[in-house]
Amino acid sequence: MAAEIKWQELMGGVLAFVGAVTASATHEIKNELAVINEQGSLVQELLQMAARGREVDPARLEELIGRVLIRVARADGVVKRLNAFAHSADLERQETDPAQSLELIGKLFGRLAGLRGLTLELAPTPAGLVLPALPVLFEQVVWACLRGAADVAAKGSTLRLGLTIEGDAARLLVEGELAQPPALPSAPLLTALRAEARVVEGRALSLRLPLAGAEG
Amino acid sequence: MSEARILIVDDEKEFLDTVSERLSNRGFSVDAAQNGVEALGKIDEVAYDAIVLDLMMPELDGLETLKRALQKKPDLQVILLSGQASLEKGVEAMKLGAMDFLEKPANLDVLAAKIKEGKSRRMVLVEKSREDAVSEILKRYSW
């Protein structure tokens, strides 16, 4: 008999996950805005100096404006990812394209990995796979695996995230230089995804998830 | 003479470079550090009037850097400057002894005014500690 899904705990976890992703992404946007603000203000101040007769190198202004445009593009990238993530919680979407979700979560987690001195590598995901799950739940479990591994990974090391096919299931693996066994995702989340999680020889976190069409 | 000798600490290099240039243009003498460890090394070498410190940085975060900096130089005036919109960390920073907490993107006029305020506060503290040292000597030798 399938284990009963604890909806209240599950939804509490989803809310915390959405909050964590939103906090991190908005912080990233604010940092980009801060750089844009500084560079734009510096251009303004240099132009004011020029108006007062001080010589200003046009190449310097061009360089600063170029940097502003790069930062605007970066901020736009974060906003697009946040928007895509917001749509992960659409309840009509009962299936997940794991390649899309892994890329999204990999990028969203990248900043947190960087803050911990870690590099995140995402292996190419086989195309055309479908998981019978709400995207937000799959993304939450990926995030939880990454968080668990990042918490115990050696500083300066690399975390590798990948998904492979194993019969009628998908195998998600987070590998790295882990100092101790990482924490597993919560039981309600694993139950809702019909997933099995385990630690492999203390160096990786492995998750088995049924593919769409597999027996329940 | 410069407005104040300051250290800016932020892991975002472009932010660091631009704020440093803008504050230098306003007459401040500015040093920069890209992480907490580098900042603590500079604090050992230079008597800064104030430091402007980012909150979220790899290796040593802003709060830990703040704690260690104040252990080294209790009269140091630390202004936290963070992209984190929540007040929680700001309150924590103030409890740890930060002079103030500003949110990014910050108005440079406001930041410059805070730095000058930090310099004045530090001068009062330095003066007081000199007076305390002199009165301690006078007491010790019963003068």
Coordinates of all heavy atoms in Angstrom, one line a residue, chain A residues 148-186:
Chain A
G148 N 21.4 19.8 1.2 CA 22.0 18.8 2.1 C 23.5 18.6 1.8 O 24.3 18.5 2.7
A149 N 23.8 18.4 0.5 CA 25.2 18.2 0.1 C 26.0 19.4 0.3 O 27.2 19.3 0.8 CB 25.2 17.8 -1.4
A150 N 25.5 20.6 0.0 CA 26.3 21.8 0.2 C 26.7 22.0 1.7 O 27.8 22.5 2.0 CB 25.6 23.0 -0.3
D151 N 25.8 21.6 2.6 CA 26.0 21.8 4.0 C 27.2 21.0 4.5 O 27.8 21.4 5.5 CB 24.8 21.4 4.8 CG 23.7 22.5 4.8 OD1 24.0 23.6 4.3 OD2 22.5 22.1 5.1
V152 N 27.5 19.9 3.8 CA 28.6 19.1 4.3 C 29.8 19.0 3.3 O 30.7 18.2 3.5 CB 28.1 17.7 4.7 CG1 27.1 17.7 5.8 CG2 27.4 17.0 3.5
A153 N 29.7 19.8 2.3 CA 30.8 19.7 1.2 C 32.0 20.5 1.6 O 31.9 21.5 2.3 CB 30.2 20.2 -0.1
A154 N 33.2 20.0 1.2 CA 34.4 20.7 1.5 C 34.4 22.0 0.8 O 34.0 22.1 -0.4 CB 35.6 19.8 1.1
K155 N 34.9 23.1 1.5 CA 35.0 24.4 0.9 C 35.9 24.4 -0.3 O 36.9 23.7 -0.4 CB 35.6 25.4 1.9 CG 35.1 26.8 1.8 CD 35.5 27.6 2.9 CE 34.3 28.0 3.8 NZ 34.6 28.9 4.9
G156 N 35.5 25.0 -1.4 CA 36.3 25.1 -2.6 C 36.1 23.9 -3.5 O 36.7 23.8 -4.6
S157 N 35.2 23.0 -3.1 CA 35.0 21.8 -3.9 C 33.9 22.0 -4.9 O 33.2 23.0 -5.0 CB 34.7 20.6 -3.0 OG 33.5 20.7 -2.3
T158 N 33.6 20.9 -5.7 CA 32.6 21.0 -6.8 C 31.5 20.0 -6.4 O 31.7 18.9 -6.1 CB 33.2 20.6 -8.1 OG1 34.2 21.6 -8.4 CG2 32.2 20.6 -9.2
L159 N 30.3 20.5 -6.6 CA 29.1 19.6 -6.5 C 28.6 19.3 -7.9 O 28.5 20.1 -8.7 CB 27.9 20.3 -5.7 CG 28.0 20.4 -4.2 CD1 26.8 21.1 -3.7 CD2 28.2 19.1 -3.5
R160 N 28.4 18.0 -8.1 CA 27.9 17.6 -9.5 C 26.5 17.1 -9.4 O 26.2 16.2 -8.5 CB 28.8 16.5 -10.1 CG 30.2 17.1 -10.6 CD 31.1 16.0 -10.9 NE 31.5 15.2 -9.8 CZ 32.4 15.5 -8.9 NH1 33.1 16.6 -9.0 NH2 32.7 14.7 -7.9
L161 N 25.6 17.6 -10.2 CA 24.2 17.3 -10.2 C 23.9 16.6 -11.6 O 24.3 17.1 -12.6 CB 23.4 18.6 -10.0 CG 21.9 18.5 -10.2 CD1 21.2 17.7 -9.1 CD2 21.3 19.9 -10.2
G162 N 23.3 15.5 -11.5 CA 22.9 14.8 -12.8 C 21.7 13.9 -12.6 O 21.4 13.4 -11.5
L163 N 21.1 13.6 -13.7 CA 20.0 12.7 -13.7 C 20.1 11.7 -14.9 O 20.4 12.0 -16.0 CB 18.7 13.5 -13.9 CG 17.4 12.7 -13.8 CD1 16.4 13.4 -12.8 CD2 16.7 12.5 -15.1
T164 N 20.0 10.4 -14.5 CA 20.1 9.3 -15.5 C 18.8 8.4 -15.5 O 18.1 8.5 -14.6 CB 21.3 8.4 -15.3 OG1 21.2 8.0 -13.9 CG2 22.6 9.2 -15.5
I165 N 18.7 7.6 -16.6 CA 17.5 6.7 -16.6 C 18.0 5.3 -16.1 O 19.1 4.9 -16.4 CB 17.0 6.5 -18.0 CG1 16.7 7.9 -18.7 CG2 15.8 5.6 -18.1 CD1 16.4 7.9 -20.1
E166 N 17.1 4.7 -15.2 CA 17.4 3.4 -14.7 C 16.2 2.6 -14.8 O 15.3 2.7 -13.9 CB 17.8 3.6 -13.2 CG 18.9 2.7 -12.7 CD 19.2 3.0 -11.3 OE1 18.4 2.7 -10.4 OE2 20.3 3.6 -11.1
G167 N 16.0 1.9 -15.9 CA 14.8 1.1 -16.1 C 13.6 2.1 -16.3 O 13.6 3.0 -17.1
D168 N 12.5 1.9 -15.4 CA 11.4 2.7 -15.5 C 11.4 3.9 -14.5 O 10.4 4.5 -14.1 CB 10.1 1.9 -15.3 CG 10.1 1.2 -13.9 OD1 11.1 1.4 -13.2 OD2 9.1 0.6 -13.6
A169 N 12.6 4.2 -14.1 CA 12.8 5.3 -13.1 C 13.9 6.2 -13.5 O 14.7 5.9 -14.4 CB 13.1 4.7 -11.7
A170 N 14.0 7.3 -12.9 CA 15.1 8.3 -13.1 C 15.9 8.2 -11.8 O 15.4 8.1 -10.7 CB 14.5 9.7 -13.3
R171 N 17.2 8.4 -12.0 CA 18.1 8.4 -10.8 C 18.8 9.8 -10.7 O 19.5 10.2 -11.7 CB 19.2 7.3 -11.0 CG 20.3 7.4 -10.0 CD 20.0 6.8 -8.6 NE 19.5 5.5 -8.6 CZ 18.9 4.9 -7.6 NH1 18.6 5.6 -6.5 NH2 18.5 3.6 -7.7
L172 N 18.5 10.5 -9.7 CA 19.1 11.8 -9.5 C 20.3 11.7 -8.6 O 20.2 11.0 -7.5 CB 18.1 12.8 -8.8 CG 18.6 14.2 -8.6 CD1 18.4 15.1 -9.8 CD2 17.8 14.8 -7.4
L173 N 21.4 12.2 -8.9 CA 22.6 12.1 -8.1 C 23.2 13.4 -7.8 O 23.5 14.2 -8.7 CB 23.6 11.2 -8.9 CG 24.6 10.3 -8.0 CD1 23.8 9.3 -7.1 CD2 25.5 9.6 -8.9
V174 N 23.6 13.7 -6.5 CA 24.3 14.9 -6.2 C 25.6 14.3 -5.6 O 25.6 13.7 -4.5 CB 23.6 15.8 -5.2 CG1 24.5 17.0 -4.8 CG2 22.3 16.2 -5.8
E175 N 26.7 14.6 -6.2 CA 28.0 14.1 -5.8 C 29.0 15.2 -5.4 O 28.9 16.3 -6.0 CB 28.7 13.3 -6.9 CG 28.1 12.0 -7.2 CD 28.8 11.3 -8.4 OE1 28.6 11.8 -9.5 OE2 29.5 10.3 -8.2
G176 N 29.9 14.9 -4.5 CA 30.9 15.9 -4.2 C 31.8 15.4 -3.1 O 31.7 14.2 -2.7
E177 N 32.7 16.3 -2.6 CA 33.6 15.9 -1.5 C 32.8 16.2 -0.2 O 32.9 17.3 0.4 CB 34.8 16.8 -1.5 CG 35.8 16.4 -2.6 CD 37.0 17.4 -2.6 OE1 37.5 17.8 -1.5 OE2 37.4 17.8 -3.7
L178 N 32.1 15.2 0.2 CA 31.2 15.4 1.4 C 31.9 14.9 2.7 O 32.3 13.7 2.7 CB 29.9 14.6 1.2 CG 29.2 14.9 -0.2 CD1 27.8 14.2 -0.2 CD2 29.0 16.4 -0.4
A179 N 32.0 15.8 3.7 CA 32.7 15.4 4.9 C 31.9 14.5 5.8 O 32.5 13.7 6.6 CB 33.0 16.7 5.7
Q180 N 30.6 14.5 5.6 CA 29.7 13.5 6.4 C 28.5 13.3 5.6 O 28.2 14.0 4.6 CB 29.4 14.1 7.7 CG 28.9 15.5 7.7 CD 28.7 16.1 9.1 OE1 27.8 15.6 9.8 NE2 29.4 17.1 9.4
P181 N 27.7 12.3 6.0 CA 26.5 12.0 5.2 C 25.6 13.2 5.1 O 25.3 13.8 6.2 CB 25.8 10.8 5.9 CG 27.0 10.2 6.7 CD 27.9 11.3 7.1
P182 N 25.1 13.6 4.0 CA 24.2 14.7 3.9 C 22.8 14.4 4.4 O 22.4 13.2 4.4 CB 24.1 15.0 2.4 CG 24.5 13.7 1.7 CD 25.4 13.0 2.7
A183 N 22.0 15.4 4.8 CA 20.7 15.2 5.3 C 19.8 14.9 4.0 O 20.0 15.4 3.0 CB 20.1 16.5 5.9
L184 N 18.9 14.0 4.3 CA 18.0 13.6 3.2 C 16.8 14.5 3.1 O 16.4 15.2 4.1 CB 17.5 12.2 3.4 CG 18.5 11.0 3.4 CD1 17.9 9.7 3.8 CD2 19.2 10.9 2.1
P185 N 16.1 14.6 1.9 CA 14.9 15.4 1.8 C 13.8 14.9 2.8 O 13.9 13.7 3.2 CB 14.5 15.2 0.4 CG 15.7 14.8 -0.3 CD 16.5 14.0 0.6
S186 N 12.8 15.7 3.1 CA 11.8 15.4 4.1 C 11.0 14.2 3.6 O 10.8 14.0 2.4 CB 10.9 16.6 4.4 OG 10.0 16.7 3.3

